[in-house]
Amino acid sequence: MTPTPLLAALALLLTSALVSLADPPNPWMGTWKLNEAKSKLSPGAVKNTKVVYSPQDKVMIQIMTEGVDKDGNAIRSVWTGKFDERDYLVSLDEMVDTRSYKQIDANTLEFIAKKESQVIATGRVVLSADGKIRTVTTTGTDKDGKKFENISVYEKQ
């Protein structure tokens, strides 16, 4: 007995649905835009106005930032790694050599940014329950040795 085209189509649809359920979308992935009005940034702080999380090779994650420094000059950085507490290189950023992330729970990350193996900033990234808002709280020391604390609120695009 040969399957009818309707049964074959139904089987294909069911298989696709099961594959989708097995690999749910990651709520961190996507483009995030800074909502400066809801953020609390230290005077002269770097502003990452756009952050993009994207999967790399099914096990790695890339985080690309774009923004401006205290003088309004365009800045950018790229980090590729895992949320496994290990230091991974940061490119295009004169302030940071490496960054590590630790996943606390499904909606919370902690990070450490280093320059020449010295911690210059730590922070926490919290994803809202609906996956539409990322709040990043960062404390550290800027390149002039001044302490800072920033709360940056991002909206998913």
Side-chain angles (χ1 to χ4, degrees):
M1 181 173 188
T2 60
T4 65
L6 180 58
L7 286 176
L10 185 58
L12 182 59
L13 182 62
L14 183 59
T15 301
S16 297
L18 289 174
V19 168
S20 295
L21 289 174
D23 195 15
N26 186 329
W28 294 96
M29 299 303 124
T31 300
W32 301 87
K33 184 178 174 191
L34 178 68
N35 182 327
E36 203 168 336
K38 292 182 179 179
S39 300
K40 295 178 182 139
L41 304 175
S42 299
V46 167
K47 289 183 211 169
N48 288 325
T49 55
K50 178 181 172 185
V51 179
V52 179
Y53 283 62
S54 58
Q56 302 290 309
D57 300 329
K58 294 196 179 198
V59 294
M60 304 289 263
I61 296 165
Q62 183 177 82
I63 301 174
M64 188 274 308
T65 66
E66 293 178 357
V68 294
D69 66 13
K70 68 179 184 176
D71 299 318
N73 298 314
I75 56 170
R76 186 173 178 207
S77 74
V78 178
W79 174 91
T80 304
K82 299 178 190 176
F83 298 155
D84 63 1
E85 299 183 68
R86 292 183 40 211
D87 290 339
Y88 291 92
L89 294 176
V90 176
S91 60
L92 307 174
D93 188 335
E94 68 180 41
M95 290 294 301
V96 177
D97 296 323
T98 63
R99 202 162 53 230
S100 63
Y101 285 87
K102 175 183 179 181
Q103 186 142 18
I104 305 303
D105 59 38
N107 289 21
T108 310
L109 302 171
E110 289 182 344
F111 67 87
I112 298 172
K114 296 178 183 175
K115 178 72 172 181
E116 298 173 357
S117 300
Q118 298 297 313
V119 174
I120 61 160
T122 60
R124 184 174 269 254
V125 186
V126 178
L127 183 65
S128 64
D130 66 5
K132 294 180 181 181
I133 304 289
R134 266 179 65 250
T135 303
V136 182
T137 303
T138 308
T139 58
T141 307
D142 67 15
K143 66 181 179 180
D144 298 324
K146 241 170 78 176
K147 300 272 184 201
F148 67 86
E149 181 173 28
N150 294 322
I151 300 172
S152 305
V153 178
Y154 294 87
E155 297 171 349
K156 196 163 201 177
Q157 301 301 294

